[in-house]
C-alpha cells in the first residue's frame, strides 16, 4: 500500500518517477524494511493512556511521506505565486508547514474513513485522492477543477475519497463531521470521521454541542485541532482562556501530538481510530505551524516575529525531519532526495500549465447544481427579463 | 396535569382510518396527517430518521411524532439536547453521508440558532461541490404566530428561507397538504424547509382514500386553487388559507367571487398558477401572517406586475402582519395579525368598493 502511494494519487504522466523508483530499488531496499522510530517527543494524554512513542513504519512509507510532503509544499508555494499573479482570486489559505498532519493522518486511515476540514484544504484534498490539476484548475476557476470552478479554494470535495470539504464558516465543519460519524454508525460501517479545525475554531460553541452529542450517542468522531497557534492574527493565549485544546473536551479523552512529526501524527490517528470505534469521541491536538499568514492577504509577520517563523523552519520543519530520518537510515541519498524535489517541482509546473489550458465554466453552468432535482423551475439572472434558465 | 389529558377526548388513532367507505370522506387532523406521513416514509426507507428536541420519549412537543420511538427505536428517533447549532450541523453531516434526516425545530424561531447550517452547510453544498455533495434533508416544525406566545416565539420565516437558492420551502394548510407535502419533502433529494403551523395541528380536514394511501405525494412547486372565482385572486399559505376561504364566503354574499390560491410551496413559487389566476380575475390580494417588508406577498405582487401588468385593473393589495414584534396582550395580538375582515376589505378595495374603516378592533 505504501509503495503504491508514490505514483498515485498524484497522477503524473512523467516517466521520471519510475526511474527514481528503480534507482531506489537498486539499493538494498528491494523489499520494504520495517523500522521502528521514536517520535520526537512523547504524547501528552488527557483521560486516556497515551500510545507508545515507538512508531512502526517502513522504508517505502517514509519515502512516500517525503515525496507527498514535498509535493504539497511545492503546490502551496506555487499557489502563492499564482495568487500574486492574480490567477487565483478571493481567498487562498495555504498549508505549508502543516503537511505532516494531512500526510500522517492519511497513513492511518482508508478511503471509507471520512475527513472534513475548514478552508485550508488543498493538501487534505490531495491526500484523499485529489490531483494537482484538479487543485490548480479549481483555484483558477476552471471547469476541470474538482468543483468545476464553482467552489474555489475553500470548497474542495472528493466524496469518493471520503473527503467532505472544504468549508468557509469557522467551526461549522465540526458538527458536520460528527454527522458523518453518525452516518457511519447508523450504516454500521466500521469507520471513523476526522473533523479538523484550528485553534481559532476551538472556542466555537457548536464544537461543544457536537462533542456532547457525539459522546452521548457514542459516535466514531475524532476532533482534530490543528493548533498552529494563531487564529488569523490572534495568538492562542489571546483567544482561549485554556489553550490546552486537547483537554477542552473535558469528559472526552484527548491527546497532544507533535504535529510536525509525521510519524507521531500517524500513531495518534491510528490510536484515535481504534479508540473512537470502541469508545466514542476524542480530541487530538496537533501542535503545528503555518509558514504563510492566515491567507494571502495576511503577511503573517505583524503578529509573529520573523525569528519565530524561521526558528520553526529550522528546528521543526516536517519535511526536514523526514529527510534526516531517511538519510540517517540510509534509505536514500541526498541526491535522490533532491531529485524527488526537482521532480515534484516539475510535476507542479506541468499541472499548472495544464490547468491554465482548462476552460472557464460555460455561462450555462451558472444555473446547474442549484438543486439535485430542479423540478423544471425558472431561475433568473440579474435582468430577469433578459436571462432566465430552467433548472433541470 | 394527568386529569387534563384524560379530559381530552378520544383522538382518532391512525388505525381508525383503515375503516372507511370509499364514498364518504374521512376526517383527519393535521397532526395525524404529519404523524402518518412520517411513519410511512420511515417505514418505506430505512435511511429516513427523525431527530429533534422531545421527538422521542415525550412523543413530540406537539405530539407530531407520537408512537414513532416505540415503532422505530432510539436509533431512528433521536432526542437531542437543546443545541440547535450542533444537532442541525450533525443532521446536515448525516445527509452528506447519504442518510435522510428529518430535523425537527420545536419552533422555527429556534432555527435561527442553526441558520448557518441550513443556508451555508445545506442549501449551498450541492452548488459549491458541483453536484458531489447533495443534502437530502428536511427541516420541519411550527412557524409563525401561535396564540399568546409573544415576540420571540411568533416570527414567520417563510420569506427568509424562501429567498435562498438551494432550498425548497413548503407550507401546508390542510391535512391533505400535510401528508402529501411532507412525503414529497422526505423523498426529495434537496434540503426542504417545511413550515407547519401550531394552531392548525388540531384542525380536522376531510381526506380521500387517495390521500390516505401510503404512496400519496403532492408535487413540490405547485399551488392549489382552493376555491375558484372570477373577480379577485387571493393568495395565502398555511393558516391564512383558512381565513382567505372564510373571507371568500363573506365576499360571495356581497357579489364578489374570489379565487383563493393555497400556495403550498413558497420556493419554488408557483408563478404560473398565480399569474394565470390574475389574468382571469384582474385583481390581486396577497395574504400572509409574517412581516410585510420583503415578504412573500411582496414577491407575489412583483411577479404579477412583471408578468401580468396589462391584466391588472387595480393596484395589487398586500395583507400581512403588523410591522411590530408580536405583543402578548390579547387585544394587541389580534391587531398584529391579519383578520378575516382585513382580507375582505382589501378585496373590496381591489374591486373598487369603498369600505369604511372598522370602528373598533
Amino acid at each position: 500500500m505504501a509503495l503504491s502511494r508514490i505514483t498515485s494519487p498524484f497522477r503524473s504522466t512523467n516517466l521520471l518517477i519510475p526511474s527514481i523508483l528503480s534507482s531506489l530499488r537498486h539499493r538494498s531496499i528491494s523489499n520494504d524494511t520495517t523500522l521502528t522510530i521514536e517520535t520526537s517527543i512523547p504524547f501528552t494524554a488527557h483521560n486516556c493512556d497515551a500510545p507508545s512513542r515507538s512508531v512502526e513504519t517502513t522504508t517505502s512509507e517514509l519515502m512516500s511521506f517525503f515525496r507527498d510532503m514535498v509535493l504539497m509544499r511545492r503546490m502551496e508555494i506555487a499557489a502563492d505565486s499564482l495568487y500574486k499573479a492574480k490567477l487565483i482570486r478571493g481567498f487562498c489559505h495555504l498549508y505549508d508547514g502543516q503537511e505532516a498532519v494531512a500526510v500522517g493522518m492519511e497513513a492511518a486511515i482508508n478511503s471509507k474513513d471520512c475527513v472534513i476540514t475548514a478552508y485550508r484544504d488543498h493538501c487534505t484534498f490531495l491526500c484523499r485522492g485529489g490531483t494537482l490539476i484538479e487543485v490548480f484548475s479549481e483555484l483558477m476557476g476552471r471547469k476541470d477543477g474538482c468543483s468545476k470552478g464553482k467552489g474555489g479554494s475553500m470548497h474542495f470535495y472528493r466524496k469518493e475519497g471520503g473527503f467532505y470539504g472544504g468549508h468557509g464558516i469557522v467551526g461549522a465543519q465540526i458538527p458536520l463531521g460528527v454527522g458523518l460519524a453518525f452516518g457511519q454508525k447508523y450504516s454500521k460501517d466500521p469507520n471513523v470521521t476526522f473533523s479538523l479545525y484550528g485553534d481559532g475554531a476551538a472556542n466555537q460553541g457548536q464544537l461543544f454541542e457536537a462533542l456532547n452529542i457525539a459522546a452521548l450517542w457514542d459516535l466514531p468522531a475524532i476532533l482534530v485541532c490543528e493548533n498552529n497557534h494563531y487564529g488569523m492574527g490572534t495568538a492562542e493565549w489571546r483567544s482561549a482562556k485554556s489553550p490546552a485544546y486537547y483537554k477542552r473536551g473535558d469528559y472526552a479523552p484527548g491527546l497532544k501530538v507533535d504535529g510536525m512529526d509525521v510519524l507521531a501524527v500517524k500513531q495518534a490517528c491510528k490510536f484515535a481510530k481504534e479508540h473512537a470505534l470502541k469508545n466514542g469521541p476524542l480530541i487530538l491536538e496537533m501542535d503545528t505551524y503555518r509558514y504563510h499568514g492566515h491567507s494571502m492577504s495576511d503577511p503573517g509577520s505583524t503578529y509573529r516575529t520573523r525569528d519565530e517563523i524561521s526558528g520553526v523552519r529550522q528546528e521543526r520543519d516536517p519535511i526536514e525531519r523526514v529527510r534526516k530520518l531517511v538519510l540517517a537510515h540510509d534509505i536514500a541519498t541526498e541526491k535522490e532526495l533532491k531529485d524527488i524535489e526537482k521532480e515534484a517541482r516539475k510535476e507542479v509546473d506541468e499541472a499548472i500549465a495544464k490547468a491554465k489550458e482548462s476552460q472557464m465554466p460555460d455561462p450555462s453552468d451558472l444555473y446547474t447544481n442549484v438543486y439535485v432535482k430542479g423540478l423544471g423551475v425558472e431561475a433568473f439572472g440579474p435582468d430577469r427579463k433578459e436571462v432566465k434558465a430552467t433548472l433541470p | 396535569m394527568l386529569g387534563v389529558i384524560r379530559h381530552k377526548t378520544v383522538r382518532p388513532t391512525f388505525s381508525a382510518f383503515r375503516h372507511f367507505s370509499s364514498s364518504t370522506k374521512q376526517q383527519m387532523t393535521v397532526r395525524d396527517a404529519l404523524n402518518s406521513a412520517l411513519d410511512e416514509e420511515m417505514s418505506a426507507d430505512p435511511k429516513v430518521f427523525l431527530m429533534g428536541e422531545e421527538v422521542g420519549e415525550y412523543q413530540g412537543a406537539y405530539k407530531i411524532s407520537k408512537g414513532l420511538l416505540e415503532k422505530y427505536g432510539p436509533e431512528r428517533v433521536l432526542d437531542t439536547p437543546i443545541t440547535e447549532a450542533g444537532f442541525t450541523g450533525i443532521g446536515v453531516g448525516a445527509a452528506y453521508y447519504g442518510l435522510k434526516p428529518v430535523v425537527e425545530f420545536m419552533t422555527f424561531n429556534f432555527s435561527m440558532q442553526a441558520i448557518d447550517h441550513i443556508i451555508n452547510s445545506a442549501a449551498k453544498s450541492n452548488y459549491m461541490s458541483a453536484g458531489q455533495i447533495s443534502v437530502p434533508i428536511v427541516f420541519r416544525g411550527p412557524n409563525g404566530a401561535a396564540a399568546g406566545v409573544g415576540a420571540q416565539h411568533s416570527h414567520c420565516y417563510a420569506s427568509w428561507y424562501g429567498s435562498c437558492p438551494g432550498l425548497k420551502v413548503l407550507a401546508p394548510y390542510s391535512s391533505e397538504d400535510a401528508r402529501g407535502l411532507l412525503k414529497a419533502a422526505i423523498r426529495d433529494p434537496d434540503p426542504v424547509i417545511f413550515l407547519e403551523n401550531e394552531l392548525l395541528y388540531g384542525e380536522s380536514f376531510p381526506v380521500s382514500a387517495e390521500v390516505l394511501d401510503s404512496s400519496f405525494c403532492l408535487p413540490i412547486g405547485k399551488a392549489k386553487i382552493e376555491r375558484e372565482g372570477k373577480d379577485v385572486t387571493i393568495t395565502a399559505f398555511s393558516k391564512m388559507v383558512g381565513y382567505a376561504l372564510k373571507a371568500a364566503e363573506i365576499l360571495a354574499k356581497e357579489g364578489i367571487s374570489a379565487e383563493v390560491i393555497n400556495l403550498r410551496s413558497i420556493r419554488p413559487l408557483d408563478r404560473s398558477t398565480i399569474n394565470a389566476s390574475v389574468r382571469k380575475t384582474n385583481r390581486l390580494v396577497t395574504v400572509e401572517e409574517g412581516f410585510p417588508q420583503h415578504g412573500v406577498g411582496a414577491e407575489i405582487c412583483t411577479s404579477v406586475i412583471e408578468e401580468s401588468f396589462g391584466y391588472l385593473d387595480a393596484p395589487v393589495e398586500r395583507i400581512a402582519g403588523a410591522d411590530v414584534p408580536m405583543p402578548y396582550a390579547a387585544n394587541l395580538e389580534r391587531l398584529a395579525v391579519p383578520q378575516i375582515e382585513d382580507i375582505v376589505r382589501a378585496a373590496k378595495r381591489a374591486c373598487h368598493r369603498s369600505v369604511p374603516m372598522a370602528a373598533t378592533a
Side-chain angles (χ1 to χ4, degrees), chain B residues 280-300:
Chain B
K280 184 175 72 167
T281 65
N282 313 119
R283 294 157 215 280
L284 173 69
V285 176
T286 69
V287 185
E288 67 204 288
E289 248 186 341
F291 298 126
Q293 191 165 338
H294 314 299
V296 175
E299 175 62 31
I300 294 174

Side-chain angles (χ1 to χ4, degrees), chain A residues 160-177:
Chain A
E160 58 187 307
F163 180 55
Y164 287 83
H167 294 272
I169 307 296
V170 170
Q173 74 277 20
I174 301 165
L176 294 172

Side-chain angles (χ1 to χ4, degrees), chain A residues 64-76:
Chain A
S64 81
F65 284 166
F66 182 81
R67 195 190 175 280
D68 291 354
M69 290 198 283
V70 157
L71 195 70
M72 287 174 188
R73 179 69 59 90
R74 261 279 46 87
M75 173 182 78
E76 296 293 75

Side-chain angles (χ1 to χ4, degrees), chain A residues 56-89:
Chain A
E56 280 213 352
T57 180
T58 65
T59 48
S60 61
E61 184 178 62
L62 279 177
M63 288 307 294
S64 81
F65 284 166
F66 182 81
R67 195 190 175 280
D68 291 354
M69 290 198 283
V70 157
L71 195 70
M72 287 174 188
R73 179 69 59 90
R74 261 279 46 87
M75 173 182 78
E76 296 293 75
I77 292 173
D80 176 304
S81 307
L82 286 176
Y83 192 90
K84 287 175 176 146
K86 297 204 176 3
L87 285 163
I88 300 177
R89 308 177 316 120

Side-chain angles (χ1 to χ4, degrees), chain A residues 265-323:
Chain A
V265 173
K266 174 186 154 182
Q267 185 87 319
C269 292
K270 198 157 163 281
F271 166 82
K273 179 170 173 175
E274 278 168 33
H275 184 283
L277 282 171
K278 284 198 307 262
N279 305 323
L282 73 163
I283 297 185
L284 298 179
E285 180 186 336
M286 303 287 180
D287 183 353
T288 184
Y289 201 84
R290 52 165 164 81
Y291 296 137
H292 268 89
H294 163 73
S295 70
M296 285 305 299
S297 54
D298 169 27
S301 51
T302 57
Y303 48 85
R304 338 181 266 187
T305 61
R306 290 192 196 279
D307 281 344
E308 178 187 290
I309 305 169
S310 54
V312 175
R313 223 188 257 277
Q314 290 268 75
E315 310 291 317
R316 300 180 66 209
D317 184 272
I319 297 176
E320 290 317 302
R321 171 167 281 138
V322 177
R323 188 197 304 271

Side-chain angles (χ1 to χ4, degrees), chain A residues 344-366:
Chain A
R345 201 182 188 120
K346 192 159 190 277
E347 220 179 304
V348 165
D349 289 342
E350 278 171 8
I352 292 177
K354 258 245 166 63
K356 281 181 180 169
E357 283 167 27
S358 172
Q359 294 297 308
M360 301 202 89
D362 289 333
S364 61
D365 274 338
L366 181 65

